[in-house]
Amino acid sequence: MSALTALFLRDMRLAVRIGGGAMMGVLFFLIVVTVFPFAVGPDLNLLSRIGPAVLWLGALLASLLGLDRLFEADRDDGALDLLVMSGRPLELVVVVKCLAHWTATGLPLVLATPFFALFLALEPKAILATMATLAVGTPALTLLGAIGAGLTVSLRRGGLLLAILVLPFTIPVLIFGVSAAGAAAVEGASFLTPFLLLSAMSLACLALAPFAAAAALRAGLD
Amino acid sequence: MLKSVTDLANPTRFLAFTAKALPVLVGLTLALFAVGLYGALVLAPPDYQQGETVKIMFIHVPAAWLSMFTYGLMTVSALGTLVWRHPLADVAARAAAPIGAAFTFLALVTGSLWGKPMWGTWWIWDARLTSVLILFIMYLGLLALWRTVEEPTRAAKLAAILILVGSVNLPIIKFSVDWWNTLHQPASVFRMDGPTIDGSMLWPLLVMALAFTALMLTLHLMAMRNEILRRRVRSLGLAAAGGVA
Amino acid sequence: MTASVSAADPARANGLVVEDLTVVRGGRRVLEAVAFALAPRGEAGAALVVTGPNGVGKSTLLRAVAGLAAVDSGRIRLGFADGVAEGAEAAAACHYLGHRDAIKSALTVAENLAFWRDFLAPPAAGRNRGLGDLSIDAALDAAGLLDLADLPAGLLSAGQRRRLSIARLLVVRRPVWLMDEPTSALDRASEARLTGLMRRHVDGGGLILAATHLPIDVPDAAELRLAPAPPPDADDFSDGMPA
């Protein structure tokens, strides 16, 4: 078995066995979606218009929720030291850990989207568009979050700081994600342009974020 | 007084150099402000549409320029920290951050003050204003990171990484916010500073921009001196503790 | 903390060669110009025990060699007949046994071990030196944990966790063992088992750099005694930057 597969499987096992990371994220997502109509009123027309935005906000917050633990658990028990001196490129370790984290927490959000979209009276077309944008966009959120997780790994209670540092960087992802998702609901709006920009952003994050996160992890060693 | 740029790498020589340079800079700043403010407030005519409120521009636009200039300076410092491990690079970045945040805040406040008579509201989600707001949040995030990480060397590296990530992201954020803005707002949005600007307004604006830059450099050198002295005090404290583990 | 055991071989690293190692942490010089060489004696390896009072930098020295502490100056090289490595590559030829055990409570004892066997890369130099490449069962047996293989690691006692992290050193062969207080939390029988393993590692050509304040029973181990540094230079500009 290759080293990176072993790391992926280990992280997946841990995600499944401890704390039900996936469940927590989906539950949080559900609660955000539920709370929104109480704030804006139960008007289904309004909800179906802002539905994609609500789902995206819920997914954004739910993605950030568990990210502070991305490297923290490994740091607390000393495994991070061994990962660093393992002889494997730390950048790839970051990518694999992000992939495992996304599979455990991001993917369930994407899969839960159609059900939650029903609460917001979304049309089938809009549901599909929202799912597609979340599937393409949430990996970017995880990768950006990994930078924040790397920067705050040496801090106690770094979760809030992580959100403060990372949220500004997620604005472009949010903009293009919501634009593409909402395009289905608006006459004459283009889905493809923002969707392609969103995909480009995810790929750029995949190419660049691991280097920043790995550099932050190295700087945070003591 | 200064043989080469590399001399500045040495904190002691840097302090000696800035002790001589600062009075000159302060004088230059004051002179530029005197000329700029006279030109802006007295000589420049009121706008035929906006009246006297257009004069907020003479503070607002230079402050907005400086908010980006300062971030650029911090990006160079961050490279200095990470690539060349320049001893003063972290001092420079750290001293610049609060100044940059202050200029960004000034740009936001004056933008808001300008917006009230122009748009009838304190805030609109204009692409420019929104980008500046995000820049402001990023400054505050950086300051928060510096405050939270206790170990100075580690704080320096982490902040430098965040600054670089931010400088890669800023153009993307700017682009996406512009895109978002045109999507949601028709082109009827009032343009704050169109390309056509009368010469009688342009030269005071440029002088004010220079004055702000001189002010920024003055404040930055002062803040760097303070930061160096603060670190010396810390070293002395460690020495007084005797290095006893 | 100035110390030196023997002069470094200038031509080509033979074994673990540390030169002029300085580590500054928070404006304090934790290690200053530490130099030593830990050379194998022919087919057999060698051991070096780092001693000194608390806070003298023993752990930092080990972490610096492991590439886990930012080094302000100095050079760390590792050389054997089959290659030379420096810096991060040298660190990747070391096993590190630190205070934290890197054990995941939610995985079983065997799963913990299997992960590190699959994940750790083979060393760039000294590929056939020392003890290692044991099967999971053999490593667990050597650590006295074979009966507990399928138990979640969270149920282990402190001593058993320590033994599990020792078993990690046995599943991948790496020529250098960096051991920080290796006998802590171990009872007498486990300690004897550990020194037996260390002896086998050295007999097989491996190197051991151990930090301890307790006497440890490794034959022919040289001693590197770290002494407290003089108080820091008052004019020292922050964090080792020269004034």
Side-chain angles (χ1 to χ4, degrees), chain A residues 17 74 77 81 86 88 222, chain C residues 63 102 104 106 111 119 174:
Chain A
R17 287 187 201 171
D74 280 334
D77 64 17
D81 291 342
S86 65
R88 310 289 177 193
D222 57 356
Chain C
R63 289 186 67 81
K104 298 291 173 193
E111 279 172 342
F119 185 75
R174 288 189 164 191

Side-chain angles (χ1 to χ4, degrees), chain C residues 3-217:
Chain C
S4 78
V5 162
S6 63
D9 176 5
R12 184 175 187 282
N14 180 26
L16 178 65
V17 181
V18 172
E19 295 159 290
D20 185 34
L21 184 68
T22 299
V23 174
V24 181
R25 185 79 55 78
R28 212 168 68 83
R29 281 172 187 273
V30 187
L31 294 174
E32 184 156 10
V34 173
F36 65 87
L38 178 57
R41 291 173 296 228
E43 285 305 302
L48 179 64
V49 177
V50 188
T51 60
N54 278 342
V56 81
K58 300 190 294 286
S59 295
T60 307
L61 174 60
L62 260 58
R63 289 186 67 81
V65 174
L68 300 171
V71 169
D72 287 76
S73 72
R75 206 169 164 205
I76 297 163
R77 283 180 299 157
L78 187 63
F80 292 103
D82 59 347
V84 186
E86 183 165 355
E89 217 182 27
C94 300
H95 271 306
Y96 174 64
L97 185 70
H99 294 292
R100 290 173 295 183
D101 52 26
I103 291 170
K104 298 291 173 193
S105 301
L107 302 182
T108 67
V109 169
E111 279 172 342
N112 265 295
L113 216 47
F115 167 67
W116 292 114
R117 179 200 58 196
D118 295 335
F119 185 75
L120 295 176
R127 272 176 290 272
N128 48 17
R129 287 202 157 250
L131 185 58
D133 287 341
L134 267 55
S135 72
I136 301 287
D137 282 355
L140 285 175
D141 197 27
L145 289 171
L146 192 54
D147 297 340
L148 308 177
D150 295 323
L151 220 60
L155 301 179
L156 298 187
S157 70
Q160 288 166 333
R161 289 176 81 94
R162 191 73 183 167
R163 272 144 64 193
L164 176 53
S165 23
I166 291 166
R168 189 188 73 233
L169 312 190
L170 308 177
V171 291
V172 171
R173 190 192 299 270
R174 288 189 164 191
V176 183
W177 289 5
L178 306 170
M179 313 176 92
D180 200 351
E181 303 289 353
T183 52
S184 70
L186 293 182
D187 57 23
R188 188 154 301 171
S190 310
E191 201 180 314
R193 199 185 277 125
L194 173 64
T195 45
L197 289 169
M198 290 164 77
R199 211 167 279 149
R200 279 171 67 191
H201 182 62
V202 170
D203 288 345
L207 303 176
I208 291 178
L209 183 64
T212 180
H213 61 267
L214 299 168
I216 188 165
D217 179 28

Side-chain angles (χ1 to χ4, degrees), chain B residues 10-12 87 151-153 228 231 234-236 238-239 242-243 245, chain C residues 25-28 55 70 231-232 234-239 241-243:
Chain B
N10 180 311
T12 308
E151 222 268 295
T153 331
I228 291 171
R231 292 183 185 198
R234 190 175 177 280
S235 292
L236 285 172
L238 278 166
Chain C
R25 185 79 55 78
R28 212 168 68 83
D235 208 29
D236 196 8
F237 181 65
S238 83
D239 317 324
M241 299 168 185

